Amino acid sequence: MIQFKEVGLTYPNGFQGLKDVNVTIEQGEYVAVIGLSGAGKSTFIRCVNRMNEITEGELIVQGQNVPTLNKKEVRQMRRSIGMVFQSFNLITRATVLKNVLVSFVPDLPVWRKVFGIFTKEEKMKALEALDRVGILDKAFVRVDQLSGGQQQRVALARTLAQEPSIILADEPVASLDPVTAKAVMDDFRTFNKELNMTVIMNIHHVELALEYASRVIGIRAGEVVYDGPASDVNEAVLSAIYNGQLPEEIGGE
């Protein structure tokens, strides 16, 4: 479970990234976070793994109060939280398999990190993850020889290999063509349904958000203005999120 309790985030320059956010996300939910550029979508999801530090309120993730964790505890927490980025964040001159094996590096002793030594079990987990996303045949291909969609699947496999219970996705399909984007979204849905992973996705494509997510959180100027089932999102809701017109019947936080 993830609980935002009156969470606020003010940057050093005084800009408010989040304002009085109260949201609870249960394990196994598929949540799409939508809103204008700069509304606070990325800020919201990056608070979950403390890539962004909240300045007000409480943020409880899997029973831990995130702002109070020390550096070692944050590293341990992040092992159960996968992160997928728009830019893939891969080592392009390395093979696909080596990129997936990177997910194990934080837990390795120093000597194994230095020499890049991985166990047979770790290699098998990496290959299984590649098989799940349908690119096992690319295991020994260099990443810079892959298409954008294939690279995003490598990033997904890297996340799967660490066996997270939560996946945070920051605009994961923004740079992909429509067909490839839907294929990657299919992968997220599979992980959510088959592995009971919580998926929290910041996404610009409203149509994809409504098609794949079960729940939508709409953020405007750092505030949650809609939080409800994707099936209930209509033009009035979208107007509230993108134009700031908030009819009483929509509600919101």
Side-chain angles (χ1 to χ4, degrees), residues 160-250:
L160 279 181
Q162 72 184 65
E163 299 179 332
S165 58
I166 300 168
I167 294 182
L168 307 176
D170 196 0
E171 291 291 355
V173 298
S175 61
L176 306 179
D177 64 80
V179 173
T180 306
K182 285 183 71 70
V184 170
M185 292 294 286
D186 284 338
D187 289 334
F188 279 109
R189 182 159 58 188
T190 297
F191 307 152
N192 170 250
K193 291 187 178 298
E194 294 185 1
L195 303 177
N196 195 39
M197 288 183 181
T198 302
V199 176
I200 309 174
M201 179 181 296
N202 161 20
I203 184 168
H204 274 301
H205 299 286
V206 174
E207 297 82 2
L208 289 178
L210 300 183
E211 180 179 352
Y212 285 91
S214 56
R215 175 178 173 186
V216 168
I217 293 175
I219 297 182
R220 181 175 177 83
E223 297 182 271
V224 173
V225 296
Y226 176 80
D227 181 2
S231 57
D232 289 351
V233 174
N234 53 32
E235 288 187 12
V237 170
L238 295 177
S239 180
I241 297 169
Y242 291 98
N243 301 321
Q245 299 169 359
L246 186 59
E248 289 185 7
E249 62 267 20
I250 293 176

Side-chain angles (χ1 to χ4, degrees), residues 127-154:
L127 291 170
E128 287 170 5
L130 287 170
D131 191 30
R132 269 197 171 273
V133 298
I135 54 169
L136 179 59
D137 60 319
K138 304 294 184 183
F140 299 103
V141 175
R142 268 182 29 164
V143 165
D144 56 10
Q145 297 176 17
L146 302 180
S147 67
Q150 290 170 331
Q151 289 190 40
Q152 190 58 288
R153 282 198 158 115
V154 176

